[in-house]
Amino acid sequence: MSKLRFKVVEEAFDRKAVKVDIPKERPDEYYGKYVFNRKAMYKYLPKATFDGLVYAIDHKKPLSRVLADSVADGMRRWAIDNGARHYTHWFHPLTDGTAEKHDAFIEHDGKGGVLEEFSGKLLVQQEPDASSFPNGGIRNTFEARGYSAWDISSPAFILDKTLCIPTIFISYTGESLDYKTPLLRSLNAVDKAGTAVAKFFDSKVKHVISYLGWEQEYFLVDEALYSARPDLVMTGRTLMGHESAKNQQLEDHYFGAIPSRVEAFMLDLEIECHKLGIPAKTRHNEVAPNQFELAPVFEETNLANDHNLLLMSLMAEVARRHNFRVLLHEKPFAGINGSGKHNNWSLGTDTGVLLFAPGKTADENLQFITFVVNVMAAVYKHNGLLKASISSATNAHRLGANEAPPAIISIFTGKQLARVLENLENSNAAELESLSGKMGKSVGIYQIPEIMIDNTDRNRTSPFAFTGNRFEFRAVGSSANCASAMLALNAAVADQLNDFAAKVNNRVSRGEALKQAILEEVKSLIVYSKPIHFDGNGYSEEWKQEAAGRGLDCETSVPKIFDSYLDTKSVEMFERTGVLNRVELEARNEVKWEMYTKKVQIEARVLGDLAINHVIPVATRYQSILVDNLVKIKSLFDDAKAQKIINQDLQTIETISEHMSVIKEDIERLVNARKRANSIDNERDKAIAYHDEVIPLMEVIRYHIDKLELMVDNEMWPLPKYRELLFIR
């Protein structure tokens, strides 16, 4: 095995950058080439069909069945002209991934041949097997029927010669079995609620749009090294491995020069993204070795989420072309930064106003403050739910460590906004005029122009930070479906805005002036949301104690964190906004607990296998070599000198024995702990047992394996080490 390790390390280090086939056209000429966007619609659809489809999309109306056949025919012709041979309904089951079933564009012609056909019926609706996806008990194994239905607001696209049609996925009985359905419901809810409040300031507003700009962090590992690590292959993270002497402590990787192999991969990925209409814009080295980031231009939330899910599958495919594997696990390597997917979220009106951007007048700033404090109130009221929305077995390894935000939801506002809120609490709306956007600052060097300073700093430890014209939900994990966090956030904010509008209208109905009514309700929300406002160090022990005193959710057990979905206030909020009902929430929690258990279970099995079949045999062989060496030493040296050397080697032999003994004993305990947990029928209790009994044993086993890695002969160690995995040349 050691020979294999050295072979794959040598192969990885000797690789050269793969040549990228760069299109001759400019990016703006091939951008969206494989997307059935409005340009393609206009070319392939009759004018009446085009107008009807665009109207339905722009006005959030369902597509009439009358137009469906015409749209399907045009979409089929466009897809075939671009090389597609099959079509699929592309949806987001409760696995954090995507799903698709491919069908060819053929039907019998009645003469022994086939015709290329694609009807409106097949475009609008299909029937995937609903029993084989996680459903939390909504469907029995023998009840297979479920439906996928086209989401016309997200354009179809071609991936690998297949026409992909973004869809929702629901059960035969109508409950959602996916992430897109409740996300769309939450976006409709925040649109309706936000519009009602925005109309207080501008009667011309017809819609409020939710925007999302995600920042996808990821690791790259050479494919040969990846294949030589069964833990990476099976679980996405290293279950053992001592940290490298050099990792990220010099901070030289962050924003550093991108390695040529990686840059070739990034270029290839960007080209593929642009062809699929994903507006990939920013790329850079992240803090940890072999860690990188890709970020797009922000988009409407539903489309942005589809693009992120498409990107994650695209990354894996492109990486293979460059002899890489992409790691999207939140913590693939211990002791260095994990990966997140910062969700930059904002709201804007159809009149072009960003609702989280300060204005130039007192009225504009009152609108800005109104929406900001409603968000703060919503996040405070549902901080436990929002934490549950980003929690998972994988993200639990990342939160609270190495620059990741802590597992306590709080809001960072920055000094200027904090001062405005404090002043407004005990003053009049005139105080809002002091709000400003970016300010100029001279650095005192004549060659350098005036620098425009934002009205807020950034807080790297805040899980939910105001960053100038948006909120950055930094706690979202790198492998997650953004919809999990976005549907909870938009639903909570929609519910809060509905409550705010009702209270303002009630004041006005009693004769109070509109502006004064808004101001009084804003002041009450500033006071109400104070416990969620924290601009300090989220890593400090003092903050953990203070947060508990403020009544914030400080639970750290992921299975128990999921309980927040079923809190009475959460269920009532989701039902009031029409986003999820109790049956759907209960089913989703069953899925979450089950997925948590299965992921930890797989890790425990892999760790046990590696420990018994890889680590222990190698440590035993090395120990035998040391024992044989003692006999030779006795024959070569006089008793006094030999004894000194023997004592040193005996200490090493004894220490190796101690580590192996603990590993063997704890592997047996680990197996028994799994058996006890597996005997539990209740999914929540089973997940808690895995958290409380299995994970602690895994951590102890890892500790002793990592100690052995430092002691056993390097040439004998069977698995690629961190110093080999983390540094691409």
Side-chain angles (χ1 to χ4, degrees):
M1 186 66 181
S2 60
K3 291 182 179 179
L4 172 62
R5 172 182 153 222
F6 287 114
K7 180 180 178 181
V8 297
V9 170
E10 183 179 10
E11 179 183 345
F13 281 12
D14 287 345
R15 290 196 200 277
K16 304 297 181 184
V18 175
K19 185 177 180 181
V20 180
D21 184 15
I22 302 174
K24 295 180 181 179
E25 311 100 310
R26 299 192 312 270
D28 63 321
E29 294 177 313
Y30 62 78
Y31 187 85
K33 177 180 179 180
Y34 294 125
V35 181
F36 194 60
N37 52 27
R38 298 195 182 195
K39 181 180 178 181
M41 291 176 192
Y42 188 80
K43 180 177 180 181
Y44 282 86
L45 299 180
K47 187 176 186 307
T49 303
F50 172 81
D51 290 342
L53 179 56
V54 169
Y55 179 86
I57 294 171
D58 289 346
H59 293 81
K60 301 186 178 182
K61 303 290 185 181
L63 180 69
S64 70
R65 296 277 177 167
V66 176
L67 290 178
D69 282 331
S70 181
V71 173
D73 181 66
M75 190 182 292
R76 175 188 60 81
R77 289 186 289 108
W78 168 79
I80 291 174
D81 285 352
N82 282 278
R85 310 297 299 175
H86 294 76
Y87 64 90
T88 182
H89 274 201
W90 183 79
F91 56 97
H92 315 161
L94 300 177
T95 58
D96 280 341
T98 59
E100 52 199 67
K101 179 189 72 172
H102 298 188
D103 288 299
F105 287 113
I106 59 170
E107 297 292 342
H108 286 296
D109 64 357
K111 302 174 184 178
V114 294
L115 297 171
E116 289 183 329
E117 286 190 357
F118 183 50
S119 68
K121 179 182 178 181
L122 295 174
L123 166 64
V124 172
Q125 180 178 313
Q126 284 194 354
E127 187 185 321
D129 186 341
S131 66
S132 298
F133 292 102
N135 61 61
I138 286 178
R139 303 293 286 155
N140 293 309
T141 302
F142 61 86
E143 295 175 320
R145 183 159 285 171
Y147 299 107
S148 56
W150 182 28
D151 169 20
I152 64 172
S153 65
S154 185
F157 56 91
I158 296 172
L159 183 65
D160 294 333
K161 307 301 181 183
T162 298
L163 171 65
C164 299
I165 303 157
T167 64
I168 64 168
F169 181 43
I170 62 172
S171 74
Y172 177 72
T173 48
E175 293 89 1
S176 68
L177 296 175
D178 66 341
Y179 281 108
K180 181 183 274 286
T181 302
L183 176 63
L184 289 172
R185 292 171 182 166
S186 74
L187 297 178
N188 288 335
V190 83
D191 176 10
K192 183 178 179 181
T195 299
V197 175
K199 280 183 175 292
F200 289 153
F201 304 93
D202 182 358
S203 61
K204 299 184 181 67
V205 174
K206 295 181 180 178
H207 289 290
V208 164
I209 303 107
S210 171
Y211 294 104
L212 170 63
W214 40 264
E215 302 169 23
Q216 181 70 61
E217 295 176 343
Y218 61 96
F219 282 84
L220 286 177
V221 175
D222 186 89
E223 187 164 29
L225 296 173
Y226 171 88
S227 299
R229 289 286 309 221
D231 48 356
L232 278 179
V233 173
M234 302 295 289
T235 73
R237 77 179 181 105
T238 52
L239 300 176
M240 61 186 70
H242 197 281
E243 66 178 4
S244 171
K246 177 187 183 297
N247 47 50
Q248 67 184 47
Q249 66 265 49
L250 295 179
E251 299 174 337
D252 53 343
H253 190 258
Y254 191 50
F255 281 21
I258 300 172
S260 58
R261 281 186 65 197
V262 176
E263 189 167 14
F265 157 76
M266 288 178 167
L267 177 59
D268 200 358
L269 177 62
E270 287 168 0
I271 291 170
E272 296 297 332
C273 283
H274 293 162
K275 289 178 181 178
L276 287 165
I278 303 172
K281 183 176 177 66
T282 302
R283 65 187 189 191
H284 63 81
N285 288 6
E286 258 299 337
V287 177
N290 275 20
Q291 187 186 33
F292 309 94
E293 180 181 295
L294 181 150
V297 179
F298 74 94
E299 301 175 285
E300 183 274 329
T301 296
N302 178 47
L303 180 59
N305 189 56
D306 280 358
H307 279 165
N308 181 249
L309 289 167
L310 177 56
L311 171 83
M312 290 195 288
S313 61
L314 197 61
M315 290 172 80
E317 180 182 338
V318 175
R320 295 289 293 272
R321 297 205 293 254
H322 293 261
N323 300 304
F324 282 128
R325 287 299 184 111
V326 170
L327 303 182
L328 292 176
H329 192 289
E330 283 76 5
K331 196 75 170 179
F333 302 102
I336 59 175
N337 277 22
S339 295
K341 180 152 48 192
H342 304 168
N343 279 205
N344 294 279
W345 170 80
S346 65
L347 297 175
T349 68
D350 58 342
T351 59
V353 175
L354 282 177
L355 294 170
F356 300 143
K360 297 179 180 178
T361 67
D363 284 349
E364 290 174 349
N365 280 329
L366 180 57
Q367 177 176 256
F368 159 69
I369 291 295
T370 295
F371 277 89
V372 166
V373 297
N374 271 281
V375 171
M376 294 178 70
V379 173
Y380 172 50
K381 184 175 183 179
H382 297 286
N383 70 94
L385 171 65
L386 291 175
K387 182 164 73 172
S389 76
I390 54 86
S391 293
S392 66
T394 53
N395 206 20
H397 295 286
R398 162 182 169 260
L399 295 179
N402 298 94
E403 282 200 6
I408 301 171
I409 300 296
S410 64
I411 294 178
F412 168 83
T413 63
K415 292 181 180 179
Q416 185 186 17
L417 181 55
R419 186 172 61 249
V420 169
L421 294 176
E422 185 178 356
N423 290 340
L424 181 59
E425 183 182 340
N426 299 304
S427 60
N428 296 317
E431 291 291 331
L432 291 173
E433 295 179 10
S434 64
L435 268 170
S436 62
K438 293 188 177 185
M439 301 173 291
K441 184 181 180 86
S442 172
V443 294
I445 303 173
Y446 73 86
Q447 297 99 325
I448 305 298
E450 187 177 56
I451 294 175
M452 301 308 293
I453 305 297
D454 287 281
N455 58 20
T456 175
D457 198 354
R458 286 178 180 255
N459 187 322
R460 305 298 293 177
T461 68
S462 176
F464 198 90
F466 178 69
T467 55
N469 58 7
R470 64 193 181 279
F471 286 92
E472 185 179 16
F473 199 177
R474 300 187 66 251
V476 182
S478 53
S479 67
N481 185 325
C482 297
S484 179
M486 289 295 100
L487 72 89
L489 176 59
N490 280 292
V493 171
D495 192 54
Q496 173 56 41
L497 289 170
N498 282 331
D499 182 69
F500 178 83
K503 289 179 178 178
V504 169
N505 286 327
N506 184 48
R507 283 177 174 270
V508 172
S509 69
R510 298 200 308 265
E512 197 168 341
L514 176 60
K515 185 180 292 186
Q516 188 61 33
I518 293 172
L519 186 59
E520 291 304 318
E521 287 301 321
V522 164
K523 288 181 179 181
S524 68
L525 290 180
I526 293 173
V527 175
Y528 171 76
S529 62
K530 277 185 176 182
I532 202 72
H533 181 196
F534 178 67
D535 286 355
N537 179 10
Y539 288 157
S540 68
E541 289 298 320
E542 292 79 8
W543 165 236
K544 294 177 184 178
Q545 298 173 11
E546 183 180 340
R550 293 185 182 195
L552 301 182
D553 191 312
C554 297
E555 180 61 64
T556 57
S557 169
V558 171
K560 293 179 181 178
I561 289 172
F562 290 150
D563 290 345
S564 290
Y565 275 105
L566 299 178
D567 282 349
T568 299
K569 65 180 180 181
S570 296
V571 175
E572 291 177 349
M573 179 275 291
F574 278 125
E575 292 188 332
R576 278 195 301 268
T577 54
V579 173
L580 290 164
N581 60 39
R582 178 177 286 277
V583 171
E584 291 170 319
L585 287 166
E586 290 174 346
R588 283 163 191 270
N589 260 32
E590 287 293 303
V591 172
K592 288 179 180 293
W593 285 317
E594 183 181 7
M595 293 296 287
Y596 179 91
T597 294
K598 288 179 176 178
K599 287 184 178 181
V600 178
Q601 183 184 74
I602 291 169
E603 289 188 350
R605 287 174 172 171
V606 173
L607 180 62
D609 174 58
L610 289 176
I612 298 301
N613 296 318
H614 291 68
V615 174
I616 294 297
V618 168
T620 301
R621 285 200 300 272
Y622 179 62
Q623 192 179 49
S624 297
I625 291 172
L626 292 179
V627 172
D628 291 341
N629 190 52
L630 294 183
V631 177
K632 295 175 183 178
I633 288 172
K634 279 189 175 182
S635 66
L636 289 174
F637 300 100
D638 60 63
D639 290 346
K641 191 170 185 179
Q643 193 60 46
K644 183 177 180 182
I645 299 173
I646 289 170
N647 288 341
Q648 293 173 342
D649 282 355
L650 280 174
Q651 181 62 48
T652 301
I653 292 168
E654 183 179 351
T655 303
I656 290 175
S657 293
E658 291 171 355
H659 288 307
M660 288 197 297
S661 177
V662 174
I663 291 170
K664 290 176 182 177
E665 291 173 1
D666 280 357
I667 289 295
E668 185 176 352
R669 292 193 184 100
L670 185 67
V671 171
N672 291 330
R674 287 208 320 269
K675 288 180 179 179
R676 288 194 299 272
N678 292 339
S679 68
I680 300 172
D681 292 329
N682 181 276
E683 291 294 345
R684 179 182 182 273
D685 294 342
K686 185 186 295 185
I688 290 173
Y690 265 90
H691 176 274
D692 293 350
E693 298 178 29
V694 174
I695 289 179
L697 284 170
M698 292 173 63
E699 292 172 350
V700 173
I701 293 167
R702 174 175 187 149
Y703 170 83
H704 289 281
I705 291 175
D706 290 354
K707 290 296 184 182
L708 285 177
E709 181 184 320
L710 292 178
M711 302 181 70
V712 172
D713 185 349
N714 180 61
E715 292 188 3
M716 296 178 65
W717 194 254
L719 304 174
K721 298 184 176 183
Y722 273 25
R723 67 169 182 262
E724 297 156 352
L725 289 165
L726 285 170
F727 296 94
I728 296 172
R729 296 184 181 179

